[in-house]
Amino acid sequence: MCTCTLLLQLHLEHRLGPDVDVLLFFCLKLKVVAIDENLAVIHQNNVQFDSELPEFSTRGGVHVHADGLTVTSPVLMWVKALDLLLDRMKRAGFDFSRVRALSGAGQQHGSVYWKTGAAQTLKNLDPEQNLHQLLQVCDSFSVLNSPVWMDSSSSQQCNVLQTAVGGALRLAEITGSRAYEVCLSSCPPVPLSSCPISLVSSFAASLFLGDYAAVDFSDGSGMNLLDIRSRAWSQICLDATAPHLDRLLGEPQPSTSVLGRISAYFVHRYGFSKSCSVVTFTGDNPASLAGMRLQPGDVAVSLGTSDTVFTWIQQPCPATEGHVFCNPIKWQEYMALLCFKNGSLTRERIRDECAGGSWERFSDALRATPLGNHGNIGFYFDSMEITPPAVGVHLFGTDDTQVPQMEVRALVEGQFLSRRLYAERLGYSIIPGTCVLATGGASSNRDILQVLSDVFNAPVYTIDVSNSTCLGSAYRALHSLVAESGVSFADVVKHAQEPHLAVTPDPRAQQVYDHMLKRYARLEDRVLQKMHP
């Protein structure tokens, strides 16, 4: 039994042995990781965009245009990288005939614009030629440089959309988030009259399917066009964006759907089995949720340059901060995503200023101060924050006046109170059995994790998620082979490497932080009112 997964953003992942999973992911590089039937990684390879495809002149896999706002990636660069990687796999002796199912993921919020008739090109590809050459010669794309998630050139379209539906909160209630410039609804680069449109994920699926592939519910949730409750395109959002847009997008499908069999091109060129199934592709963030194997009530916190929070939720409460997506594993449920710009760089600044540049002394300060920090709370927004939109350092003592002391714990508690506050506003709640999965550089610091555990009143586990997006799509492809027989996703991945228990919450934590969270919310409102009177 073999499965494959494709991901367009940072990696390509695949699986070798009795079972094979392949995942492609484009942005900086196209990476392949092989895992055996026990889900253990046994092989890795990649194609670097900038260095190995210099003819496209990208930096970090993208072009930043002269206005500083428009950011795109060459579509044919992605396709050529796929050619190179599959050719390398073939030369290495990879047995494509063992692949029984193929799925994947792509960077969210990017879009690809086909030319009318490109579907016929996809159905009639000559296996003696490279894929990128065939698509280039046949002039298959209306736009050669696709807008990607970093693009921020469409503020006007965002305002038009939000006004049309009744404001930012109403748009979030319909689509899962307020209008973001990166979403397809706000940045069409050409008149949307006749060109079929894919997300980066469904574009990659289209290559393997040999036809336009459906957008899945989960990645479609990031477009400001999908009604996340009905899981159909929202007519009011479509009307505010372009006429007949639903015809160009096609009907969205559950993230677990099998779209069809693999294109004959890949059967004849690489030796795939004719029976290999192509499963819907999804976004990189939903795929990461699958790769980390989150369960209802769990939360994943990535502690990097920016901090990111993933949660599995059952009843969403969309807000003007954060995103709610349809769940990629159980499409009737949801996931929430929050990004916080001020993460490790702010922690490093306070380490340098208050702990002499030493993480050991930083940890000593956390251990030396009690839960709740004697009532001292800090808001540390060195850069303009995303969640919430605020900047500056704001410190409050027990009488809610600003005090410049006990900053190490004030910083860490404040950051994690913010993560919990905004997660709860999107529908997350701590339930019996809740676990926190911590990743990123700061997850190696046990004392930082102890504060995280205390604030969320849940045990914290650490996990290696360097390949979580790739593995998530590999797991989804494998699950597709047995889903109809009633086997759950959890059963499919039960033999994957278990996370490591790092810390458990202090018995006093719930009483301290449930109260402190309410006060934190009130103080944050005060900060925001002062900044945005």
Side-chain angles (χ1 to χ4, degrees):
M1 180 178 65
C2 304
T3 65
C4 292
T5 62
L6 178 94
L7 187 91
L8 281 162
Q9 172 131 352
L10 288 174
H11 317 83
L12 179 149
E13 232 165 285
H14 79 277
R15 174 184 234 216
L16 285 172
D19 299 317
V20 180
D21 293 303
V22 178
L23 177 63
L24 306 179
F25 190 40
F26 296 112
C27 188
L28 300 175
K29 60 186 175 184
L30 184 63
K31 176 181 177 183
V32 61
V33 175
I35 57 178
D36 62 18
E37 68 275 15
N38 296 315
L39 311 182
V41 175
I42 60 173
H43 177 80
Q44 300 190 57
N45 208 331
N46 67 80
V47 173
Q48 299 279 345
F49 291 144
D50 294 356
S51 60
E52 297 188 62
L53 296 169
E55 63 270 31
F56 293 99
S57 303
T58 58
R59 294 188 64 184
V62 301
H63 294 143
V64 179
H65 294 232
D67 62 5
L69 302 173
T70 304
V71 183
T72 61
S73 287
V75 182
L76 288 171
M77 178 184 71
W78 294 339
V79 182
K80 189 170 183 178
L82 176 58
D83 284 330
L84 292 176
L85 193 55
L86 292 178
D87 287 344
R88 286 181 185 176
M89 294 170 67
K90 186 176 181 179
R91 290 194 301 270
F94 184 90
D95 187 356
F96 292 98
S97 69
R98 293 179 301 198
V99 177
R100 288 185 53 196
L102 186 147
S103 184
Q107 57 176 284
Q108 291 198 268
H109 314 304
S111 46
V112 176
Y113 299 81
W114 302 90
K115 277 197 173 176
T116 303
Q120 285 302 116
T121 300
L122 290 171
K123 292 174 183 176
N124 296 286
L125 297 168
D126 179 0
E128 297 300 318
Q129 299 184 56
N130 287 323
L131 186 58
H132 80 277
Q133 293 172 329
L134 291 166
L135 296 179
Q136 184 175 29
V137 167
C138 294
D139 195 20
S140 300
F141 303 106
S142 296
V143 178
L144 293 177
N145 292 288
S146 288
V148 295
W149 68 274
M150 298 164 65
D151 186 273
S152 57
S153 62
S154 51
S155 296
Q156 183 178 353
Q157 291 96 323
C158 289
N159 293 333
V160 168
L161 177 61
Q162 289 187 162
T163 300
V165 304
L169 181 58
R170 179 56 185 151
L171 182 64
E173 290 170 347
I174 298 170
T175 70
S177 73
R178 63 175 172 85
Y180 284 91
E181 293 173 321
V182 297
C183 295
L184 181 144
S185 61
S186 61
C187 57
V190 292
L192 298 180
S193 57
S194 61
C195 54
I197 302 169
S198 294
L199 295 184
V200 178
S201 59
S202 59
F203 158 72
S206 300
L207 299 179
F208 281 90
L209 187 65
D211 199 354
Y212 302 138
V215 172
D216 81 296
F217 291 161
S218 197
D219 204 9
S221 309
M223 300 168 68
N224 282 141
L225 292 175
L226 188 79
D227 186 319
I228 61 171
R229 290 177 174 81
S230 69
R231 296 170 182 82
W233 302 122
S234 165
Q235 194 59 53
I236 189 171
C237 294
L238 294 173
D239 292 343
T241 304
H244 313 303
L245 186 54
D246 53 337
R247 301 178 191 174
L248 307 179
L249 292 168
E251 186 156 347
Q253 296 293 322
S255 303
T256 53
S257 298
V258 175
L259 300 174
R261 303 302 182 189
I262 195 167
S263 164
Y265 173 85
F266 293 95
V267 173
H268 296 299
R269 186 171 179 84
Y270 295 105
F272 280 91
S273 168
K274 292 181 180 179
S275 63
C276 175
S277 296
V278 178
V279 180
T280 46
F281 286 31
T282 192
D284 52 355
N285 292 307
S288 285
L289 179 137
M292 289 185 283
R293 295 170 288 132
L294 262 63
Q295 298 294 315
D298 288 350
V299 57
V301 182
S302 176
L303 302 172
T305 302
S306 297
D307 288 352
T308 306
V309 175
F310 288 94
T311 67
W312 179 315
I313 56 178
Q314 295 170 312
Q315 295 298 326
C317 301
T320 53
E321 279 81 31
H323 300 263
V324 173
F325 304 125
C326 297
N327 194 297
I329 299 170
K330 195 171 183 179
W331 61 264
Q332 302 92 335
E333 298 186 7
Y334 301 88
M335 64 170 286
L337 170 67
L338 290 156
C339 294
F340 302 85
K341 183 181 293 185
N342 293 278
S344 64
L345 296 181
T346 304
R347 289 187 286 270
E348 289 168 7
R349 179 181 68 79
I350 295 300
R351 175 204 63 189
D352 294 343
E353 293 181 2
C354 301
S358 165
W359 283 118
E360 184 176 351
R361 291 175 61 184
F362 188 95
S363 293
D364 289 343
L366 288 176
R367 291 192 297 269
T369 46
L371 280 67
N373 202 26
H374 297 299
N376 296 295
I377 291 180
F379 297 81
Y380 293 81
F381 307 127
D382 289 359
S383 301
M384 175 57 75
E385 184 53 78
I386 302 169
T387 312
V391 70
V393 175
H394 311 271
L395 303 176
F396 296 90
T398 53
D399 59 355
D400 291 350
T401 57
Q402 295 192 24
V403 293
Q405 59 185 358
M406 309 190 78
E407 289 204 56
V408 171
R409 180 168 282 273
L411 163 69
V412 178
E413 284 187 340
Q415 287 186 328
F416 294 151
L417 285 166
S418 176
R419 300 349 174 212
R420 177 179 163 184
L421 174 67
Y422 281 94
E424 290 186 355
R425 287 178 176 176
L426 288 177
Y428 168 78
S429 59
I430 298 171
I431 61 175
T434 285
C435 296
V436 179
L437 278 76
T439 70
S443 66
S444 62
N445 186 310
R446 188 180 186 281
D447 296 289
I448 290 177
L449 295 187
Q450 185 63 60
V451 179
L452 176 62
S453 177
D454 291 340
V455 170
F456 278 83
N457 192 38
V460 171
Y461 294 79
T462 56
I463 186 171
D464 177 10
V465 295
S466 56
N467 296 317
S468 64
T469 306
C470 302
L471 290 172
S473 285
Y475 298 158
R476 290 176 52 250
L478 182 60
H479 181 230
S480 75
L481 298 175
V482 295
E484 289 189 1
S485 62
V487 178
S488 70
F489 181 84
D491 283 338
V492 169
V493 300
K494 64 185 179 182
H495 295 304
Q497 182 179 358
E498 290 296 325
H500 170 70
L501 176 63
V503 292
T504 57
D506 187 293
R508 301 165 294 172
Q510 182 175 3
Q511 181 178 357
V512 171
Y513 290 110
D514 283 359
H515 171 75
M516 196 172 183
L517 187 68
K518 296 175 183 178
R519 180 165 169 254
Y520 181 93
R522 291 196 304 270
L523 293 175
E524 183 185 86
D525 286 342
R526 182 189 299 185
V527 170
L528 294 175
Q529 288 170 8
K530 183 177 180 181
M531 292 191 60
H532 310 285

